[in-house]
Amino acid sequence: MWSAIVVLSLVGCAVAGPPVTRSRKDIEGFRAYLERSRTDDGLRLESRMLVSPKASAWENSGKFQGDILLNDEQADLLMQEYAGVGGRNAYIWPNTKWPSNTIVYDFNNEFTTAQINAIYAAMREITARTCIRFRRRTASDRNYVLVTGRSDGCYANVGYWASMGVHTLNLARAIPGQGCFTHTIIIHEWIHVIGFMHMHSTHNRDTYVRLLWQNMIPGMEYAFERYGTNVVHNMGLPYEYASNMHYDRFGFSRNGQPTMLPIFNDNNQMGQLQFVTGWDWLRVNRHYNCPGAWSTPINAEELSQGTYLHEYKGDEDAALEDQPQGVVVEDLPQEVLVADMPQDLEAEKVSVVEN
């Protein structure tokens, strides 16, 4: 468990050290927010959706920024950066790309066949659009993503952490197409696992959106922190309202009124859940240095206006042909039948996942 002593020492250093823009109250408030996001409050996703019905399921999942599950190291580094301790590069997260562009995964045995098929459908789209591949966990794999179905929401760890062992991607069980089992939400959580934070966190956010602090749930203002390029990198692409990784207008609203509004015309696409944009895929491909990703032309006018693409502008068939052939991956099933599901898979205990 994250040490309260470490956090309190950060507060003391920030107060005693060089001047920072954060007050002691701010730092302690951020600490409390991080602790809440890492503690199971016992609420089901359905309960949170009743309180904030206009927000998406992943925004209502009770974790950091809604659906990011922080490990101890990430929480410590975020706290250092917020408190102004340890220099400007306090929480660069190096080497968090999955080795060989391959995500090792396994399932908890709490999903129906239809739910497994929905998860595989999202994974197949990722492999079709990027050079990311998936491989089922074997007995020798220590580091892998365990896909679980706890009822508290949709959330995931960000990136690959060799020190973690078991990474988590949780999808509260629902009928495919609803709640956490919306196709684009499943992809959203996998993109966290791939290594991405939310679009609204990026350094140039304030140029494109206006925050309405008065409408936010008290104590949740920290969910709208923005970070420097040492954490959130746009990969040379514009800010994108329609990104699959962007908050909608009503995230963490206390009164049903918007908490975030676009400054430019977003064509009513901010926070949409209908599709994953071409730039979403291109950001992933650039992050993993996929073939051809950095040679895809970006219009200079688009860079200045923050517009977006619905479709990938590159030659997708050619891009797929250029994928590396030396990576060992499995062929993801098109459909899983009950008879094909392993019979000896035991459900992981919640305590194991959290540890």
Side-chain angles (χ1 to χ4, degrees):
M1 178 58 68
W2 188 29
S3 172
I5 296 176
V6 172
V7 177
L8 291 174
S9 68
L10 288 174
V11 174
C13 289
V15 172
V20 294
T21 58
R22 312 291 190 185
S23 68
R24 185 187 184 94
K25 181 179 179 181
D26 287 338
I27 294 170
E28 291 178 341
F30 188 64
R31 173 193 57 79
Y33 167 66
L34 291 181
E35 288 185 347
R36 287 196 306 271
S37 76
R38 287 156 50 80
T39 304
D40 184 358
D41 59 11
L43 293 177
R44 296 170 62 91
L45 176 61
E46 291 91 337
S47 300
R48 296 194 188 93
M49 293 301 294
L50 290 175
V51 175
S52 302
K54 293 183 178 181
S56 70
W58 62 262
E59 290 170 323
N60 276 330
S61 292
K63 306 303 179 187
F64 177 69
Q65 291 193 345
D67 69 331
I68 293 176
L69 187 59
L70 297 173
N71 61 31
D72 287 347
E73 186 176 356
Q74 288 170 317
D76 284 344
L77 293 171
L78 283 168
M79 195 67 217
Q80 289 176 31
E81 174 71 10
Y82 189 85
V85 178
R88 294 302 303 166
N89 295 327
Y91 67 104
I92 289 178
W93 298 343
N95 304 319
T96 58
K97 291 189 290 188
W98 285 82
S100 301
N101 294 10
T102 301
I103 297 173
V104 181
Y105 72 96
D106 208 345
F107 292 110
N108 201 319
N109 72 336
E110 52 194 329
F111 296 109
T112 66
T113 304
Q115 290 165 345
I116 291 286
N117 286 332
I119 297 169
Y120 273 134
M123 295 162 70
R124 286 197 304 272
E125 182 165 358
I126 292 170
T127 61
R129 297 284 189 171
T130 73
C131 65
I132 302 293
R133 295 295 178 260
F134 295 89
R135 177 174 64 77
R136 192 71 177 260
R137 176 201 177 196
T138 64
S140 62
D141 288 311
R142 178 181 176 276
N143 291 284
Y144 64 97
V145 177
L146 182 63
V147 185
T148 59
R150 295 183 60 181
S151 62
D152 54 343
C154 355
Y155 50 84
N157 291 117
V158 175
Y160 169 84
W161 295 78
S163 60
M164 276 186 63
V166 180
H167 300 59
T168 296
L169 187 155
N170 189 82
L171 300 169
R173 298 183 296 281
I175 297 171
Q178 299 180 13
C180 291
F181 274 81
T182 303
H183 181 67
T184 52
I185 288 181
I186 301 174
I187 292 176
H188 177 107
E189 300 309 329
W190 277 120
I191 292 179
H192 279 317
V193 170
I194 287 168
F196 282 86
M197 301 280 278
H198 293 127
M199 175 61 65
H200 85 281
S201 299
T202 194
H203 62 96
N204 61 343
R205 182 269 312 279
D206 291 342
T207 303
Y208 296 97
V209 298
R210 181 166 62 93
L211 299 182
L212 304 176
W213 302 100
Q214 69 275 16
N215 293 332
M216 296 177 189
I217 297 172
M220 298 307 296
E221 298 90 348
Y222 301 105
F224 294 87
E225 283 291 313
R226 62 182 176 87
Y227 306 114
T229 54
N230 56 334
V231 174
V232 180
H233 199 300
N234 292 341
M235 297 295 156
L237 297 173
Y239 190 92
E240 185 177 29
Y241 292 123
S243 170
N244 181 240
M245 306 304 289
H246 203 299
Y247 273 20
D248 63 26
R249 285 167 165 74
F250 300 96
F252 305 107
S253 174
R254 66 177 180 85
N255 54 13
Q257 298 301 308
T259 53
M260 181 182 293
L261 290 175
I263 292 174
F264 301 101
N265 179 21
D266 71 334
N267 293 319
N268 202 32
Q269 295 294 334
M270 191 170 76
Q272 58 78 32
L273 296 175
Q274 283 70 51
F275 54 86
V276 182
T277 73
W279 282 347
D280 281 325
W281 297 124
L282 188 54
R283 274 184 286 271
V284 171
N285 281 317
R286 287 188 169 185
H287 182 46
Y288 278 78
N289 291 315
C290 298
W294 288 100
S295 61
T296 301
I298 303 298
N299 187 292
E301 184 177 347
E302 292 170 346
L303 282 172
S304 63
Q305 294 181 356
T307 55
Y308 57 86
L309 301 177
H310 284 209
E311 308 253 339
Y312 189 83
K313 280 191 172 180
D315 186 336
E316 182 180 310
D317 294 333
L320 293 178
E321 290 176 1
D322 289 339
Q323 303 299 342
Q325 302 300 313
V327 178
V328 178
V329 295
E330 67 174 288
D331 292 326
L332 295 173
Q334 296 301 305
E335 183 177 7
V336 178
L337 303 177
V338 174
D340 295 332
M341 297 185 70
Q343 302 302 310
D344 58 349
L345 182 63
E346 296 183 1
E348 297 280 351
K349 301 297 185 183
V350 170
S351 60
V352 174
V353 175
E354 291 179 341
N355 287 339

